Amino acid sequence: MSDTAIRTIAARARGVGKTYGAGDSATVALHDVDLDIRAGSLTAIMGPSGSGKSTLMHVFAGLDSASTGTVLIGDVDITHLDDDALTLLRRRSLGFVFQAFNLVPTLSVFGNVTLPFELDGRKLTDTESAWIHELLARLGLGALEQRRPHELSGGQQQRVAIARALAMRPQLIFADEPTGNLDSRSSREVLTLLRDLTREYQQTVILVTHDPVAASHADRVIFIADGTLARDVPASDPKTLSDIILDLEVRS
Ligand code: ADP
Ligand code: MG
């Protein structure tokens, strides 16, 4: 494969399997998964409960090890990294957004967003500081930089979490049910924002969700059923996506 082709892939799974436990109690959560995530895209992962969505995300993020196969983040094979190297990779190259926001209550908006640099043991450069202010302004948080999380709405808190995930300009951002705690209007705002940010800043986002409306904001939707990739479809409306989910649930 040419260098250009490799650069356009942000993450890659090859023959990835994951088995929990052993012997009679073994559960095969993923089986022989091949998946390329294009750089600058928003990819949604959907599937029935227990189909392996979280496991796939954890294996991609190096939070859990694959039992078989390889996972590449950029051109780094993370299946052969030790724990220290994985921790550094997660801190510098990956961003996370969770349903529960996970903001530090005692820190301001600015403190929360710059926490990744703090954890990395370094001060912001002028360029990074300018980027954070640009990002906060872009996310409509410019006037709220000194507020604490409890002084913000749910949608605003999730935008702070998105800003924090983007702060280090990671190669890949994982969003696990990011709108699970938001009303429909805030959900739409957050999802539109995630999609626009992938375009404006060529960020790559993997969105794990059971919500067809959320997944309809993605450029591509991957369906998992029983630990294998069942369908791979381009951007679709919520009705099309929920029909596919219903079909997979009937079969499983
Ligand atoms: P999803 O996120 O799609 O609901 P998961 O990835 O959480 O699915 O789970 C996939 C399968 O693996 C399920 O059968 C689940 O019970 C099993 N599983 C997940 N985590 C563990 C674990 N830590 N130990 C044992 N089995 C697990
Ligand atoms: Mg899950």
Side-chain angles (χ1 to χ4, degrees):
M1 192 173 291
S2 73
D3 284 356
T4 328
I6 289 170
R7 269 199 300 276
T8 61
I9 302 298
R12 162 171 292 170
R14 278 292 173 273
V16 167
K18 177 70 184 179
T19 302
Y20 291 108
D24 286 349
S25 62
T27 304
V28 179
L30 290 177
H31 178 71
D32 205 18
V33 171
D34 289 329
L35 181 59
D36 285 357
I37 302 294
R38 280 184 295 277
S41 67
L42 174 59
T43 303
I45 297 184
M46 299 195 77
S49 180
S51 58
K53 301 181 295 294
S54 295
T55 304
L56 182 62
M57 185 188 124
H58 291 163
V59 168
F60 253 126
L63 291 164
D64 207 344
S65 60
S67 307
T68 60
T70 53
V71 175
L72 277 84
I73 300 294
D75 51 12
V76 177
D77 179 352
I78 66 164
T79 37
H80 292 107
L81 295 182
D82 63 28
D83 284 351
D84 289 347
L86 269 178
T87 301
L88 276 186
L89 176 114
R90 270 199 300 275
R91 197 184 284 157
R92 295 175 181 167
S93 305
L94 304 178
F96 294 90
V97 181
F98 298 103
Q99 177 170 352
F101 316 144
N102 294 0
L103 300 177
V104 180
T106 52
L107 291 178
S108 67
V109 166
F110 190 80
N112 270 282
V113 173
T114 53
L115 191 60
F117 296 92
E118 196 88 14
L119 293 173
D120 211 30
R122 63 193 187 82
K123 292 251 181 297
L124 295 174
T125 64
D126 289 347
T127 315
E128 286 164 342
S129 180
W131 158 243
I132 302 292
H133 288 296
E134 177 195 326
L135 192 54
L136 287 170
R138 172 66 187 81
L139 291 172
L141 299 166
L144 309 176
E145 287 187 14
Q146 297 313 319
R147 294 239 191 131
R148 314 267 153 191
H150 75 267
E151 297 168 322
L152 302 174
S153 70
Q156 288 168 337
Q157 290 187 53
Q158 195 59 307
R159 281 186 269 146
V160 175
I162 290 172
R164 183 180 55 191
L166 278 157
M168 283 218 178
R169 316 222 49 172
Q171 287 178 274
L172 196 54
I173 291 176
F174 294 94
D176 192 2
E177 300 283 1
T179 54
N181 279 337
L182 301 179
D183 59 43
S184 57
R185 181 161 157 254
S186 303
S187 294
R188 202 163 49 239
E189 274 173 21
V190 160
L191 291 161
T192 306
L193 204 52
L194 272 178
R195 188 185 51 197
D196 292 348
L197 293 171
T198 61
R199 307 244 159 102
E200 284 166 43
Y201 301 122
Q202 282 74 53
Q203 277 300 158
T204 311
V205 180
I206 296 182
L207 167 70
V208 177
T209 184
H210 72 280
D211 177 6
V213 174
S216 70
H217 288 80
D219 301 307
R220 176 190 184 195
V221 185
I222 305 284
F223 292 85
I224 314 191
D226 290 333
T228 61
L229 295 195
R231 297 285 300 272
D232 183 347
V233 302
S236 307
D237 58 78
K239 170 79 168 71
T240 305
L241 298 174
S242 68
D243 286 348
I244 297 175
I245 280 286
L246 284 174
D247 182 53
L248 292 174
E249 279 169 355
V250 168
R251 287 172 200 220
S252 67

